[in-house]
């Protein structure tokens, strides 16, 4: 049976976790679909996954807009989020979004990964130990359950919906934090002209199209949500603000996470099932 995982990932943590799911799950062959690239025809996929990272205690504006623009679809689905310091209400909100589009959410999971958001790294640390051994055990149990559900769907067995919950204070926080607050915390972006290559990486990286290259990168601060994508991905660290300069860049998953989310560290499929 074929399935699809629609994912949104800026620094690669979520994509890496989705690759791990794809490579270790049994009973289904998942196709990974980057929602920044395409709006796929889902008719060929009996089982759909939605994956993204937690942002502002919820999910990124890009994901919200993408799902709201989708056609209604009456299919079973699972939701999956990654997070650094705090998942907040992200998984619940993602589940509510896809449920509103007709999907039946049958499974959910949230995976703690290293932090890629400079303000949190400054206040605390990078959480580079995550996912811990116990968190990886839970992740693998989730994939085992996912395999079982895929088999039931392939066999025509109806799988009951799952009610995804979140603590009420996280739901309230998700309603409080705004893109404007995140942008203000980041600060207006500037460019070190001695370093900038005008390579266009920041323009391509911004999921909202808020960076344009003229003589130098120009940023639309009034629409910016402070996601740090342009900052994290600048290959020469030329983008900075008054609050953050040459600090805690996270352009891709760190080696510790890559090592943990490799197929060699996954449980044997036969033993898992």
């Amino acid at each position: 049976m074929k399935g699809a995982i629609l994912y949104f990932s800026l620094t690669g943590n979520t994509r890496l976790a989705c690759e791990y799911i794809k490579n270790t799950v049994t009973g289904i062959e998942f196709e990974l679909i980057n929602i920044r690239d395409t709006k796929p025809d889902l008719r060929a996929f009996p089982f759909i996954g939605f994956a993204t990272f937690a942002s502002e205690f919820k999910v990124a504006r890009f994901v919200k807009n993408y799902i709201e623009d989708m056609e209604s679809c009456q299919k079973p689905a699972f939701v999956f989020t990654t997070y650094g310091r705090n998942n907040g209400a992200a998984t619940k909100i993602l589940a509510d979004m896809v449920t509103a589009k007709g999907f039946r959410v049958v499974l959910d999971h949230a995976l703690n990964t290293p932090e890629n958001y400079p303000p949190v790294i400054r206040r605390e640390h990078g959480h580079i130990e995550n996912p811990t051994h116990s968190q990886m055990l839970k992740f693998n149990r989730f994939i085992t359950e996912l395999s079982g559900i895929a088999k039931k769907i392939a066999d025509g067995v109806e799988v009951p919906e799952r009610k995804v919950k979140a603590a009420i204070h996280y739901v309230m926080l998700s309603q409080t934090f705004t893109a404007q607050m995140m942008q203000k915390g980041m600060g207006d972006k500037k460019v070190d002209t001695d370093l900038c290559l005008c390579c266009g990486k920041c323009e391509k990286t911004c999921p909202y199209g808020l960076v344009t290259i003229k003589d130098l990168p120009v940023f639309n601060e009034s629409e910016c949500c402070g996601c740090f994508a342009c900052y994290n991905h600048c290959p020469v660290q030329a983008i900075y603000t008054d609050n953050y300069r040459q600090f805690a860049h996270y352009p891709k998953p760190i080696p510790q996470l890559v090592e943990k989310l490799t197929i060699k560290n996954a449980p044997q499929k036969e033993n898992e099932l």
Side-chain angles (χ1 to χ4, degrees):
M1 184 176 73
K2 291 187 177 295
I5 300 178
L6 280 59
Y7 75 90
F8 181 63
S9 184
L10 291 183
T11 62
N13 285 356
T14 303
R15 176 179 172 84
L16 183 63
C18 289
E19 290 173 347
Y20 184 86
I21 294 171
K22 170 184 170 68
N23 292 331
T24 56
V25 72
T26 62
I28 188 168
E29 182 181 343
F30 278 120
E31 179 180 336
L32 301 187
I33 299 174
N34 185 346
I35 66 173
R36 293 191 63 180
D37 295 338
T38 184
K39 291 185 177 180
D41 183 348
L42 299 179
R43 287 177 294 182
F45 305 106
F47 192 19
I48 313 296
F50 292 86
T52 186
F53 54 88
S55 176
E56 307 163 37
F57 299 97
K58 47 183 180 285
V59 299
R61 186 174 69 202
F62 187 95
V63 177
K64 178 178 181 293
N65 294 343
Y66 183 93
I67 294 175
E68 287 179 348
D69 195 45
M70 290 179 67
E71 296 290 336
S72 180
C73 188
Q74 308 292 322
K75 292 189 176 185
F78 74 90
V79 292
F80 173 70
T81 57
T82 62
Y83 65 99
R85 178 181 180 271
N86 201 307
N87 188 53
T91 314
K92 171 183 167 46
I93 290 171
L94 181 59
D96 290 345
M97 287 178 180
V98 301
T99 298
K101 282 297 177 177
F103 293 92
R104 294 186 299 104
V105 175
V106 297
L107 189 63
D108 68 281
H109 190 71
L111 180 68
N112 202 176
T113 58
E115 184 60 65
N116 56 23
Y117 190 57
V120 173
I121 296 174
R122 171 169 287 175
R123 289 195 301 270
E124 302 175 16
H125 57 79
H127 299 278
I128 62 174
E129 73 283 359
N130 293 325
T132 62
H133 177 68
S134 63
Q135 289 166 345
M136 280 302 300
L137 289 176
K138 292 178 181 178
F139 188 30
N140 286 320
R141 284 197 291 270
F142 155 74
I143 296 172
T144 299
E145 189 173 359
L146 183 63
S147 300
I149 289 175
K151 184 178 186 305
K152 289 181 179 179
I153 293 172
D155 292 341
V157 177
E158 183 163 345
V159 181
E161 290 188 59
R162 174 170 298 191
K163 182 68 174 178
V164 182
K165 299 179 181 180
I168 185 62
H169 64 280
Y170 286 135
V171 174
M172 294 175 65
L173 280 171
S174 73
Q175 297 167 351
T176 301
F177 275 75
T178 65
Q180 292 74 20
M181 292 170 61
M182 304 298 284
Q183 189 279 335
K184 184 176 180 180
M186 181 183 187
D188 288 353
K189 290 169 285 299
K190 303 176 183 179
V191 178
D192 188 325
T193 57
D194 292 332
L195 294 176
C196 182
L197 304 174
C198 288
C199 64
K201 183 76 171 179
C202 53
E203 184 178 36
K204 294 176 183 177
T205 298
C206 179
Y208 305 104
L210 301 178
V211 184
T212 54
I213 302 295
K214 296 184 178 179
D215 292 332
L216 289 169
V218 176
F219 308 95
N220 181 348
E221 299 291 359
S222 65
E223 298 294 328
C224 176
C225 62
C227 70
F228 277 85
C230 60
Y231 174 96
N232 274 327
H233 284 277
C234 178
V236 291
Q237 301 183 5
I239 297 172
Y240 69 98
T241 73
D242 288 341
N243 299 327
Y244 299 95
R245 184 167 188 166
Q246 303 275 317
F247 172 77
H249 290 78
Y250 196 108
K252 61 183 180 180
I254 61 174
Q256 296 95 318
L257 181 62
V258 173
E259 172 65 19
K260 291 175 181 178
L261 296 182
T262 56
I263 187 68
K264 69 178 183 179
N265 291 324
Q268 294 297 315
K269 292 183 179 181
E270 293 80 7
N271 294 338
E272 280 292 289
L273 297 175

